[in-house]
Amino acid sequence: MTDTEREKRMRNLLVLVADPVRRYLHRRTDSATADDVLGDTLLVCWRRLDEVPEDALPWAIVVARQCLSNAQRAERRRTRLIGRIIAIDPPPAAADDNPAASAADGTTNDARVATALAGLRRDDAEILRLWAWDELTSPQLAVVLGISANAAAIRLHRAKARLKQELLKSDNPTGHVSHDEGSTDARR
């Protein structure tokens, strides 16, 4: 592949994956980290351009997940190091910042869904985010999660059912889940 062909392929790849991967990352971490990880992800795409499959988005999301994991591990190491430094040489006392500046944005529905997602197992919440926010199909979910398309479809179906149950719980503050009267689904 000539340099010109390689550049053209990378431009096409950028058009296809840059915005969806950016949105994926911004939903999972702060803006600065998301932008750094996006840069790392695109660098990996450039270096491994010959390995990028035809359906590049799930592949790029897998790369982004791995780069984000690396960034989060590095941040944890930095935090531990700062903790050790503070233990050895504590900083002088400083005035507290205003904690009220971190008020939650969004509507009541957004808060209900966020609460319901938080009540799910991590794997269930992740597959729902990939499906709903990143608009991945079952075959694409399979690539991202490293499972078969059939397993991805089954996991997605089950995660949706669990999310529904969590949302129903939030409608009933007593924690009692009411089932629809006309429901014929016996496997709840």
Side-chain angles (χ1 to χ4, degrees), residues 34-97:
D35 291 341
D36 287 346
V37 171
L38 177 62
D40 293 343
T41 301
L42 295 177
L43 181 61
V44 170
C45 289
W46 172 253
R47 288 181 180 159
R48 297 177 59 193
L49 193 58
D50 296 335
E51 299 172 33
V52 177
E54 191 171 315
D55 191 8
L57 182 57
W59 184 88
I61 288 177
V62 169
V63 171
R65 284 177 79 190
Q66 293 168 344
C67 289
L68 181 58
S69 290
N70 290 342
Q72 290 169 335
R73 271 193 303 278
E75 181 59 31
R76 286 191 300 268
R77 283 191 302 268
R78 279 190 292 274
T79 301
R80 283 192 307 267
L81 177 62
I82 289 170
R84 284 188 220 133
I85 291 170
I86 289 173
I88 294 170
D89 185 19
D96 288 341
D97 291 335

Side-chain angles (χ1 to χ4, degrees), residues 125 139 160:
K160 286 179 185 178

Side-chain angles (χ1 to χ4, degrees), residues 103-126:
D105 295 334
T107 64
T108 304
N109 256 354
D110 291 343
R112 280 186 64 229
V113 172
T115 301
L117 279 173
L120 295 176
R121 292 186 336 220
R122 189 176 70 194
D123 291 345
D124 287 342
E126 178 67 4

Side-chain angles (χ1 to χ4, degrees), residues 87-153:
I88 294 170
D89 185 19
D96 288 341
D97 291 335
N98 182 6
S102 60
D105 295 334
T107 64
T108 304
N109 256 354
D110 291 343
R112 280 186 64 229
V113 172
T115 301
L117 279 173
L120 295 176
R121 292 186 336 220
R122 189 176 70 194
D123 291 345
D124 287 342
E126 178 67 4
I127 198 167
L128 287 168
R129 287 184 188 107
L130 288 167
W131 169 75
W133 295 346
D134 299 309
E135 300 176 359
L136 298 184
T137 62
S138 288
Q140 292 173 324
L141 289 168
V143 171
V144 171
L145 300 174
I147 59 177
S148 71
N150 188 41

